[in-house]
Amino acid sequence: MKYKKIGNVLILDNNYQGNDFEELSQMHNVKTIMKIDHIQGTKREPVYQILYGSETETINKENGCLFKLDLSKVMWSKGNNNERLRIAKLVEDGETVIDMFAGIGYFTIPVGVHSNASEVIAIEINPNSYHFLCENIELNKLDNITPILGDCKVETPKFKADRIIMGYVKTTHHYLKVAIDSLNEGGILHYHETVPEKLMETRPIERIISQANGRDVELLKINKVKKYAPGVEHVVVDARIY
């Protein structure tokens, strides 16, 4: 059986057929058991089914960070935890960071906890996610994070940053120009994309170059996050833009 435990909520794989939910709840010490059918729309909202219990709000601890969330309202991707910590550890002292698709603070909170960034500007379009982003800033006692409720395309150009995180997939490439235009010279972009394996080494970096307006692009790393679908990888490209 595939499942993931998020705080004290158990998310079962959609293929799970059993009905021994009370036993499962005791075995895994959870108060609620759910299935999440899929995540929909640009606001990344879950389509879900509650199988046991009723409370969907929980606090999940990961990499020394606390994340409060409601799994009936916002998404949580457990497979990205190594990537979240990797990025936090790359941030250098005094950097200004923009997190363009901040959600509940998946990347923002680890950067705040594990680095000495001067400021993290966290932009999120979903009011539910934004609510928990603000709660998580408080929960982790962080004072260098500026949360913004709004559309990345509108809000990002108002700032300049040394590092920009684009931790979203599917349509992230539509936001590349906005991100690159807001990067300081020599700044670093962390660009996420879902890409066919055979195009993994070429398409993401080509997309960055095409939106760089003639600025020089240095590929630092292509990092595999996880398999997204058969033959498709979720990757993140680290690129320095001069």
Side-chain angles (χ1 to χ4, degrees), residues 22-132:
E22 188 165 353
E23 190 182 319
L24 276 175
S25 75
Q26 290 170 2
M27 187 189 309
H28 295 285
N29 191 27
V30 296
K31 60 184 178 184
T32 304
I33 298 175
M34 304 171 66
K35 281 186 180 180
I36 294 178
D37 186 57
H38 63 279
I39 304 294
Q40 65 179 6
T42 55
K43 292 184 180 178
R44 298 177 283 181
E45 294 169 315
V47 176
Y48 67 94
Q49 179 187 2
I50 294 178
L51 304 168
Y52 178 86
S54 59
E55 204 174 324
T56 52
E57 188 171 294
T58 189
I59 294 176
N60 192 52
K61 188 171 185 180
E62 177 189 275
N63 296 325
C65 306
L66 298 172
F67 295 93
K68 190 176 185 181
L69 72 160
D70 186 332
L71 288 155
S72 71
K73 295 178 180 175
V74 301
M75 61 165 278
W76 177 265
S77 182
K78 208 170 175 70
N80 298 356
N81 59 343
N82 290 336
E83 180 62 20
R84 293 192 270 266
L85 186 60
R86 183 184 80 89
I87 295 298
K89 291 187 169 179
L90 289 175
V91 175
E92 295 180 8
D93 292 0
E95 283 189 354
T96 298
V97 180
I98 296 176
D99 184 3
M100 281 180 68
F101 308 90
I104 65 167
Y106 311 103
F107 288 97
T108 292
I109 300 301
V111 170
V113 169
H114 294 291
S115 82
N116 291 312
S118 67
E119 184 182 17
V120 185
I121 298 150
I123 306 168
E124 175 52 40
I125 198 169
N126 181 336
N128 287 322
S129 296
Y130 175 78
H131 166 77
F132 287 108

Side-chain angles (χ1 to χ4, degrees), residues 31-239:
K31 60 184 178 184
T32 304
I33 298 175
M34 304 171 66
K35 281 186 180 180
I36 294 178
D37 186 57
H38 63 279
I39 304 294
Q40 65 179 6
T42 55
K43 292 184 180 178
R44 298 177 283 181
E45 294 169 315
V47 176
Y48 67 94
Q49 179 187 2
I50 294 178
L51 304 168
Y52 178 86
S54 59
E55 204 174 324
T56 52
E57 188 171 294
T58 189
I59 294 176
N60 192 52
K61 188 171 185 180
E62 177 189 275
N63 296 325
C65 306
L66 298 172
F67 295 93
K68 190 176 185 181
L69 72 160
D70 186 332
L71 288 155
S72 71
K73 295 178 180 175
V74 301
M75 61 165 278
W76 177 265
S77 182
K78 208 170 175 70
N80 298 356
N81 59 343
N82 290 336
E83 180 62 20
R84 293 192 270 266
L85 186 60
R86 183 184 80 89
I87 295 298
K89 291 187 169 179
L90 289 175
V91 175
E92 295 180 8
D93 292 0
E95 283 189 354
T96 298
V97 180
I98 296 176
D99 184 3
M100 281 180 68
F101 308 90
I104 65 167
Y106 311 103
F107 288 97
T108 292
I109 300 301
V111 170
V113 169
H114 294 291
S115 82
N116 291 312
S118 67
E119 184 182 17
V120 185
I121 298 150
I123 306 168
E124 175 52 40
I125 198 169
N126 181 336
N128 287 322
S129 296
Y130 175 78
H131 166 77
F132 287 108
L133 169 64
C134 295
E135 292 246 331
N136 290 329
I137 292 166
E138 214 169 289
L139 197 58
N140 290 276
K141 299 179 171 62
L142 300 171
D143 57 9
N144 63 337
I145 296 172
T146 305
I148 295 170
L149 176 61
D151 186 333
C152 293
K153 278 189 176 172
V154 176
E155 300 300 331
T156 305
K158 298 176 183 176
F159 304 96
K160 285 286 186 184
D162 306 301
R163 187 179 301 269
I164 295 182
I165 303 164
M166 303 182 76
Y168 182 56
V169 292
K170 294 186 180 178
T171 60
T172 327
H173 55 287
H174 296 307
Y175 296 80
L176 270 170
K177 185 179 186 306
V178 164
I180 292 168
D181 287 350
S182 292
L183 260 184
N184 292 328
E185 187 176 345
I188 292 175
L189 187 70
H190 301 289
Y191 165 65
H192 289 241
E193 186 175 312
T194 45
V195 59
E197 281 178 287
K198 59 185 179 183
L199 300 177
M200 202 174 77
E201 306 289 332
T202 54
R203 191 179 79 181
I205 195 69
E206 285 170 0
R207 281 179 163 172
I208 293 171
I209 291 166
S210 75
Q211 297 301 313
N213 295 332
R215 292 172 67 177
D216 288 336
V217 176
E218 178 190 358
L219 173 62
L220 302 175
K221 185 173 187 176
I222 298 177
N223 200 46
K224 278 189 191 182
V225 177
K226 62 186 176 189
K227 191 164 283 298
Y228 185 78
V232 179
E233 292 286 344
H234 172 181
V235 302
V236 56
V237 175
D238 300 349

